[in-house]
Amino acid sequence: LDFAEKLRKEMDARYRRLEELREAKRQIDACAHARLEETDARFKMARQEFQISDAHFRKVDRHVFEWLYILEEYRDDIRDSILQTLRYLQYEFFAQ
């Protein structure tokens, strides 16, 4: 259960970072639409914000991807372990 809660928090953090990245991309698009030069301070600031947002998103996304990959890779082992635990608990319950 702790794992599910941790994964949910990681997914929420990923969603927030993705929204930040999208907002940074909108700022760059707005600068391009306004035909600002790349040397303009506002364009530089928007580009820097996008780079920072992209780095933060990739860091969080990588962590979430690793957790989801592990779950997928060891899905059968996790299920078998749960079933064995349930069998053991059932045996203990009826043995009393």
Side-chain angles (χ1 to χ4, degrees), residues 7 10-11 14 60-69:
L7 185 59
E10 291 289 332
M11 291 297 289
R14 181 188 181 276
V60 172
D61 190 54
R62 185 179 324 114
H63 194 249
V64 170
F65 176 79
E66 288 171 358
W67 278 110
L68 293 175
Y69 180 79

Side-chain angles (χ1 to χ4, degrees), residues 10-47:
E10 291 289 332
M11 291 297 289
D12 289 342
R14 181 188 181 276
Y15 180 74
R16 285 191 307 273
R17 293 295 185 182
L18 181 59
E19 287 301 313
E20 290 173 7
L21 182 62
R22 286 180 178 157
E23 181 58 34
K25 177 67 174 147
R26 279 192 281 273
Q27 290 175 4
I28 286 181
D29 291 342
C31 289
H33 183 71
R35 298 178 191 216
L36 296 177
E37 296 290 327
E38 289 191 18
T39 56
D40 189 277
R42 292 173 289 178
F43 190 84
K44 286 181 180 179
M45 189 170 63
R47 185 173 50 216

Side-chain angles (χ1 to χ4, degrees), residues 69-79:
Y69 180 79
I70 288 169
L71 280 177
E72 179 65 27
E73 189 70 23
Y74 296 103
R75 167 181 58 188
D76 294 332
D77 295 334
I78 293 169
R79 189 187 70 227

